[in-house]
Amino acid sequence: MNELSSVDWSRAQFALTAIYHFLFVPLTLGLSFIIAIMETLYVKTGDVRWKKITQFWMSLFAINFAIGVATGLIMEFEFGTNWANYSWFVGDIFGAPLAIEGLLAFFMESTFFAVMFFGWNKVTPKFHLLSTWLVAIGSNLSAFWILVANGWMQYPIGMYFNPSTARNEMSNFFDVILSPVAISKFLHTVSSGYVIGALFVIGISSWFLLKQKEVLLAKRSIVVGATFGLLTSLFLTLSGDESAYQVAQHQPVKLAAMEGLYKGESRAGIIAFGILNPNKQLGDKEPELLGDIELPYMLSLLGHRDVDAFVPGLEDLVYGNPAHNITPASERIANGKIALQALSDFREAKKMGDAGKMKENEAILQTYMKDFGYGYFEKPEQIVPPIALSFYSFHIMVSLGMWFIALFALTLFFTLKRDIVRYPLLLNSALWSIPLGYIAAEAGWIVAEVGRQPWAIQDLMPTHIAATHLGGGNIALSFTLFAILFTVLLIAEIKIMLRQIAKGFEGGH
């Protein structure tokens, strides 16, 4: 197999691991806080029924938590095996938040998880409640440090490139962890997890009501889940707005792909619904969309907080637009090649002990460093991500997000103001919305990761350079083994959860 096949297999394997891992993570993030709220109600009221409710959802949380840890560990090892060039290039920065996550947040949640799950009759109710909250906080702190690392890949900041080692070194820790991209990514990702946790609670509770089982406890669960879900789904909309703004500021090619925008526009509208033209190519006369429903001015407002703002399209970003000071990709490719040559000349001068040449080439390198990664491309069109996958994933995510707000509002209203048991259509909608939550979350990650292609690190390192040079056959074998393993783990989790759910609230602990 050729090198491209090796890169593709590495990408496929990492995508497989990330997608499976993120089937478990969001439920941990959301359900942990819902459980903490339920246990708080138990401690405050002394009502033993709240204890039964808490223990039931805690048993499902434990099953999901254990399997999520296993897939997460595998993903971290893949950075060293499949992405060694990437790890060398950014290890001093990327490794720091991951190390903090392991040493601080993961140990915190793991330690108090033991108290939370096994300590009901061994510690005081208040200490047990504290442990439950610390598990929830620890889980979310883990997500924070991981998303700081991911955010840096999308918007590299707070570092200096050392030409002597060809590595990026952290120059400002707080620039890295307080990056606007990292913060918005964290808030949007964890709030999506909260929504999934809430969908899980109201969906499973709806199943009990459809079966006329555990009616009171299921209704109480729905009230907590739907309230939590409504609040967090509204926040998810706000954090999504901020995420889109950051994408517009720092990854305009991704934004253009998300909206299928080829030619830039002032007062650009956002596509509420659309079908891409599969025959459309950069620079041709074909229409971008076969049909669409557009919300006027909204893309300009979303991306630049100004309804009159110009939003660049793919053709502007690839071929340039002097009227809006957009540099063509061909010029950035030329600058990148100058930077790469300067790095090569610096290292040669270092071997020769020529300090003057080293200083001269380091100055050239730093001048063109912002376009460093472009030097690995030959054609401007290579900077464009897969458009159809980015476009449809984005619109599926947004559409489902709107449905979840309506679902939580309806479920809460009919539980509090009506007898929700009399509305089986709503209960079935809640039940079958559980997988929709996962589809929306995975679609969001596809937008984030596919939309930034061809970059492993935005503007600095393309994906094909980041990969380890391994034989495609070796990676294909490990890909197959991981696919089988993860599928078995997923089936096992679903079976164990269904068995636990069938036991009802009395079998929760």
Side-chain angles (χ1 to χ4, degrees):
M1 292 189 179
N2 58 33
E3 183 180 350
L4 182 61
S5 297
S6 173
V7 172
D8 285 344
W9 275 116
S10 290
R11 291 177 65 188
Q13 181 169 299
F14 196 84
L16 174 80
T17 311
I19 286 171
Y20 266 93
H21 182 56
F22 208 68
L23 289 173
F24 308 109
V25 169
L27 186 58
T28 295
L29 296 174
L31 195 54
S32 60
F33 273 117
I34 293 174
I35 290 168
I37 293 168
M38 290 172 170
E39 187 173 349
T40 301
L41 291 170
Y42 161 61
V43 173
K44 291 285 286 183
T45 64
D47 187 341
V48 72
R49 287 172 294 190
W50 279 116
K51 182 178 181 181
K52 288 181 180 179
I53 292 169
T54 303
Q55 289 179 330
F56 171 74
W57 295 111
M58 194 176 287
S59 66
L60 301 180
F61 173 85
I63 297 165
N64 182 78
F65 181 85
I67 298 180
V69 169
T71 55
L73 291 173
I74 292 171
M75 189 161 62
E76 291 199 17
F77 279 112
E78 287 182 14
F79 285 115
T81 56
N82 293 47
W83 304 97
N85 294 334
Y86 167 85
S87 298
W88 173 264
F89 191 66
V90 303
D92 292 346
I93 301 170
F94 192 78
L98 293 185
I100 295 171
E101 185 271 334
L103 293 171
L104 175 65
F106 181 70
F107 272 96
M108 174 178 158
E109 64 179 312
S110 299
T111 299
F112 287 100
F113 175 86
V115 179
M116 180 186 80
F117 194 71
F118 299 108
W120 279 102
N121 300 315
K122 298 178 175 64
V123 297
T124 64
K126 288 186 177 179
F127 186 78
H128 190 277
L129 176 62
L130 175 64
S131 300
T132 303
W133 276 105
L134 288 175
V135 169
I137 293 168
S139 299
N140 284 262
L141 278 177
S142 286
F144 173 75
W145 291 111
I146 291 167
L147 290 165
V148 162
N150 183 270
W152 185 87
M153 295 166 68
Q154 315 270 348
Y155 176 47
I157 191 174
M159 84 293 186
Y160 169 79
F161 181 74
N162 186 341
S164 295
T165 60
R167 292 170 68 96
N168 285 281
E169 298 174 356
M170 190 180 298
S171 60
N172 192 314
F173 177 71
F174 292 101
D175 280 352
V176 174
I177 67 169
L178 298 178
S179 157
V181 172
I183 297 300
S184 66
K185 181 170 284 292
F186 166 70
L187 293 175
H188 193 54
T189 302
V190 297
S191 55
S192 73
Y194 301 158
V195 169
I196 286 176
L199 287 170
F200 184 80
V201 169
I202 70 168
I204 300 303
S205 300
S206 294
W207 179 83
F208 281 113
L209 296 182
L210 287 166
K211 299 293 183 182
Q212 297 288 318
K213 296 169 61 179
E214 313 275 14
V215 173
L216 176 60
L217 303 186
K219 282 184 176 181
R220 285 192 175 190
S221 295
I222 285 179
V223 171
V224 174
T227 303
F228 185 78
L230 181 59
L231 293 174
T232 55
S233 60
L234 291 171
F235 180 77
L236 180 64
T237 304
L238 296 175
S239 64
D241 172 78
E242 177 61 22
S243 290
Y245 174 75
Q246 294 300 331
V247 168
Q249 300 305 303
H250 305 296
Q251 297 174 298
V253 177
K254 180 194 286 189
L255 183 73
M258 286 160 52
E259 276 298 296
L261 183 66
Y262 283 77
K263 296 183 186 298
E265 301 174 12
S266 296
R267 301 183 176 184
I270 197 167
I271 305 299
F273 173 81
I275 301 173
L276 290 176
N277 182 354
N279 299 318
K280 174 65 179 174
Q281 299 293 325
L282 286 173
D284 68 14
K285 303 295 184 182
E286 290 276 343
E288 300 171 1
L289 298 159
L290 298 179
D292 69 285
I293 300 172
E294 182 179 292
L295 303 177
Y297 309 125
M298 292 305 295
L299 188 59
S300 291
L301 183 63
L302 184 75
H304 300 279
R305 304 296 190 245
D306 179 0
V307 294
D308 296 317
F310 177 80
V311 180
L314 293 168
E315 292 178 3
D316 302 288
L317 296 160
V318 171
Y319 303 121
N321 187 326
H324 294 278
N325 298 316
I326 299 174
T327 304
S330 57
E331 184 177 327
R332 302 193 72 176
I333 289 171
N335 292 343
K337 291 187 182 300
I338 293 172
L340 288 172
Q341 186 60 51
L343 176 60
S344 177
D345 292 344
F346 174 92
R347 302 185 78 174
E348 187 63 32
K350 184 179 179 182
K351 287 181 184 178
M352 303 296 292
D354 189 337
K357 282 290 184 183
M358 288 172 63
K359 186 175 180 180
E360 176 186 338
N361 283 291
E362 183 174 5
I364 295 171
L365 175 61
Q366 296 305 328
T367 299
Y368 294 101
M369 190 65 204
K370 65 184 178 64
D371 294 329
F372 182 85
Y374 284 84
Y376 293 105
F377 298 123
E378 299 301 326
K379 298 177 181 179
E381 294 80 6
Q382 289 177 283
I383 71 166
V384 178
I387 299 168
L389 187 54
S390 302
F391 177 88
Y392 288 118
S393 296
F394 175 67
H395 288 84
I396 287 170
M397 175 189 68
V398 172
S399 299
L400 289 174
M402 296 300 102
W403 160 244
F404 299 148
I405 293 173
L407 176 66
F408 289 130
L410 289 170
T411 304
L412 186 60
F413 174 81
F414 280 96
T415 304
L416 294 176
K417 301 296 184 180
R418 301 283 192 275
D419 183 4
I420 195 173
V421 178
R422 295 167 50 200
Y423 299 90
L425 179 60
L426 180 56
L427 294 173
N428 275 295
S429 297
L431 176 60
W432 290 105
S433 288
I434 295 175
L436 295 182
Y438 288 98
I439 290 170
E442 297 290 2
W445 271 111
I446 289 170
V447 173
E449 301 305 305
V450 173
R452 71 179 165 98
Q453 295 304 312
W455 301 108
I457 308 160
Q458 186 70 38
D459 297 340
L460 295 181
M461 176 173 270
T463 306
H464 70 279
I465 298 299
T468 309
H469 298 288
L470 298 170
N474 293 331
I475 308 174
L477 176 60
S478 61
F479 173 89
T480 304
L481 293 174
F482 281 144
I484 294 170
L485 173 63
F486 294 153
T487 303
V488 169
L489 287 174
L490 180 61
I491 293 171
E493 171 170 6
I494 293 172
K495 283 189 172 182
I496 296 169
M497 275 200 170
L498 291 176
R499 191 178 303 128
Q500 189 66 31
I501 291 166
K503 292 180 181 178
F505 287 83
E506 295 297 330
H509 201 66

